[in-house]
């Protein structure tokens, strides 16, 4: 009963925060939002509480564990078994598998398996989320193709989209994660929370966007001719392209980890010497109310708040590394809620990534995304809070 009341309080606060920055409150459709919340609650129960959901999650995590083992064989061949000696875990065990998973995604793209899946699931989603087919297709393609790579699939129509639709597509990209790095997450946090977050984030995104950026009649009536989700290439052209794309993503993440962790360490040292408290501890106090709000026990909320803030100012990888160090200090409930919160691209660095990806395809639309920067981070953070809140209902 107490958890239920806490859940209702969190929902009210999160929805109110979304309403605070709504583009057009008159166009918000409460029925659609309620419908999406009921679906998300059912998904939370199925994935985190039911025996059927547990078996499904175990099957998916087992699949990724197998993929990670295959990926490790490639890494071991190049790096001479360093991983088996426990050396360079983040690079070999977390980043290198991204290359192999990216190659698998490319193969499924080439064989038209993923484009078909995106269209079928996107069409079904459009019938329940109150949005157009474009937004629904984008929610699925972002999840599969990646935060920045996804926009290449829509390069032929970006210039025709309204700023409202551009915001929705960018917000979706920041509120979800790519399948190519799911394996990396599973090497740092419990796989079942990663799988749950993938689906919960999608519906949380629909809910928050339906409030912050409700669909206009004009956009709903506009027919968009979607481009094919792949270009015509030979099999080996495609394979080489996706392998290199996976390598590029892994190197970008590595560079960001080196830079952000070094920067945070330096800032922590300065704050500790001047104020007697680290920068991350200070941020923990700022996020403490939100950690408690989404259901993390009060005794753990301060430390959780620090990790949540780390995700926002750096990225989810840095935050997961921090969580991995102190995971034993959290209760199963606190660990689960915090883990779900961390699985998304909601951070300041993502603004540049998404805006840069769109700007490379259409400069005008890329500039529009840049102007949306603060609002994108705000909305995507609310998505993470909402997903974590639903997870806490059944943990």
């Amino acid at each position: 009963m107490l958890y239920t009341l806490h859940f209702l309080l969190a929902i009210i606060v999160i929805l109110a925060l979304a309403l605070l920055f709504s583009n057009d409150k008159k166009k918000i459709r409460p029925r659609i939002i309620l419908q999406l919340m009921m679906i998300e609650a059912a998904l939370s129960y199925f994935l985190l509480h039911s025996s059927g959901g547990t078996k499904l999650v175990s099957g998916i995590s087992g699949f990724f564990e197998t993929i990670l083992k295959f990926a490790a064989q490639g890494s071991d061949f190049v790096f001479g078994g360093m991983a088996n000696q426990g050396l360079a875990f983040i690079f070999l065990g977390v980043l290198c598998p991204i290359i192999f998973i990216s190659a698998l995604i490319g193969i499924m793209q080439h064989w038209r398996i993923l484009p078909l899946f995106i269209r079928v699931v996107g069409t079904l989603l459009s019938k329940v989320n109150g949005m157009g087919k474009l937004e629904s297709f984008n929610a699925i393609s972002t999840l599969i193709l990646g935060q920045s790579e996804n926009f290449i699939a829509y390069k032929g129509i970006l210039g025709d989209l309204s700023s409202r639709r551009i915001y929705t597509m960018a917000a979706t990209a920041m509120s979800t994660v790519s399948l190519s790095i799911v394996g990396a997450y599973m090497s740092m946090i419990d796989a079942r929370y990663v799988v749950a977050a993938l689906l919960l984030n999608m519906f949380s995104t629909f809910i928050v966007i339906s409030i912050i950026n409700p669909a206009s009649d004009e956009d709903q009536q506009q027919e968009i001719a979607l481009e094919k989700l792949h270009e015509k290439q030979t099999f080996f052209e495609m394979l080489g392209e996706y392998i290199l794309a996976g390598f590029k993503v892994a190197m970008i993440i590595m560079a960001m980890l080196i830079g952000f962790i070094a920067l945070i360490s330096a800032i922590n040292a300065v704050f500790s010497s001047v104020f007697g408290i680290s920068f991350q501890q200070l941020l923990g106090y700022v996020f403490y109310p939100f950690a408690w709000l989404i259901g993390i026990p009060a005794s753990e909320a301060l430390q959780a708040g620090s990790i949540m803030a780390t995700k926002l100012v750096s990225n989810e990888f840095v935050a997961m590394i921090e969580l991995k160090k102190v995971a034993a200090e959290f209760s199963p409930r606190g660990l689960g809620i915090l883990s779900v919160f961390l699985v998304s691209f909601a951070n300041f660095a993502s603004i540049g990534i998404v805006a840069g990806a769109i700007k490379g395809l259409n400069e005008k639309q890329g500039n529009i995304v840049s102007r949306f920067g603060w609002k994108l981070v705000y909305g995507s953070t609310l998505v993470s809070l909402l997903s974590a809140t639903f997870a806490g209902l059944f943990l």
Side-chain angles (χ1 to χ4, degrees), residues 118 122-123 126 129 131-142 150 153-154 157-158 160-162 164-166 168-169 172 206 219 222-227:
I118 289 168
T123 300
S126 68
N129 63 16
M131 298 179 182
K133 286 187 177 181
L134 173 66
E135 290 83 351
S136 301
F137 291 160
N138 178 66
I140 300 298
S141 61
T142 297
N150 170 66
Y154 302 97
I157 61 172
L158 281 177
D160 300 325
L161 300 181
S162 66
R164 189 206 67 81
R165 279 188 141 165
I166 285 292
T168 295
M169 293 179 75
T172 302
F206 293 149
D219 281 332
Q222 182 187 17
E223 291 293 331
I224 296 293
L226 295 175
E227 294 287 325

Side-chain angles (χ1 to χ4, degrees), residues 73-81:
Q73 292 183 24
S75 300
D76 289 343
F77 177 79
V78 174
F79 295 100

Side-chain angles (χ1 to χ4, degrees), residues 178-378:
S178 166
L179 282 183
S180 65
I181 60 175
V182 164
Y185 292 154
M186 289 181 177
S187 67
M188 294 184 285
I189 61 177
D190 194 322
R192 68 175 178 141
Y193 300 132
V194 177
V195 175
L198 291 177
L199 294 174
L200 296 182
N201 282 346
M202 186 183 302
F203 283 92
S204 292
T205 301
F206 293 149
I207 292 169
V208 172
I209 287 177
S210 293
I211 297 173
I212 290 181
N213 193 40
S216 68
D217 295 335
E218 180 182 346
D219 281 332
Q220 284 184 317
Q221 292 168 5
Q222 182 187 17
E223 291 293 331
I224 296 293
L226 295 175
E227 294 287 325
K228 291 183 179 180
L229 294 177
H230 65 285
E231 297 178 0
K232 291 183 179 179
Q233 294 175 299
T234 66
F235 179 83
F236 289 103
E237 282 178 331
M238 171 280 304
L239 191 59
E241 182 179 300
Y242 272 84
I243 288 173
L244 289 176
F247 177 78
K248 181 180 177 182
V249 170
M251 293 305 100
I252 289 172
I253 293 172
M254 182 180 69
M256 292 180 71
L257 286 176
I258 292 171
F260 274 117
I261 290 176
L263 185 60
I264 289 174
S265 296
I267 295 174
N268 280 339
V270 171
F271 270 73
S272 295
S273 61
V274 176
F275 304 107
I277 182 174
S278 73
F279 178 64
Q280 283 175 289
Q281 287 175 321
L282 181 62
L283 289 177
Y285 286 104
V286 176
F287 268 76
Y288 173 90
F290 295 102
W292 174 83
L293 181 70
I294 61 178
I296 295 174
S299 59
E300 304 165 14
L302 185 60
Q303 190 168 27
S306 176
I307 295 172
M308 291 165 67
T310 299
K311 175 202 174 186
L312 179 64
V313 300
S314 55
N315 61 43
E316 74 284 359
F317 274 96
V318 178
M320 288 179 187
I321 291 170
E322 291 296 317
L323 177 59
K324 189 176 176 67
K325 294 176 183 175
V326 297
E329 299 175 23
F330 283 89
S331 65
R333 174 177 169 80
L335 183 62
I337 294 173
L338 181 55
S339 296
V340 171
F341 176 87
L342 295 182
V343 182
S344 84
F345 291 141
N347 57 67
F348 289 112
S350 289
I351 300 173
I353 294 172
V354 173
I358 295 178
K359 196 168 186 175
L361 301 169
N362 188 293
E363 186 171 356
K364 177 185 174 183
Q365 300 289 40
N367 290 334
I368 289 174
V369 172
S370 296
R371 290 199 296 270
F372 283 144
W374 285 100
K375 196 169 185 178
L376 284 169
V377 172
Y378 181 82

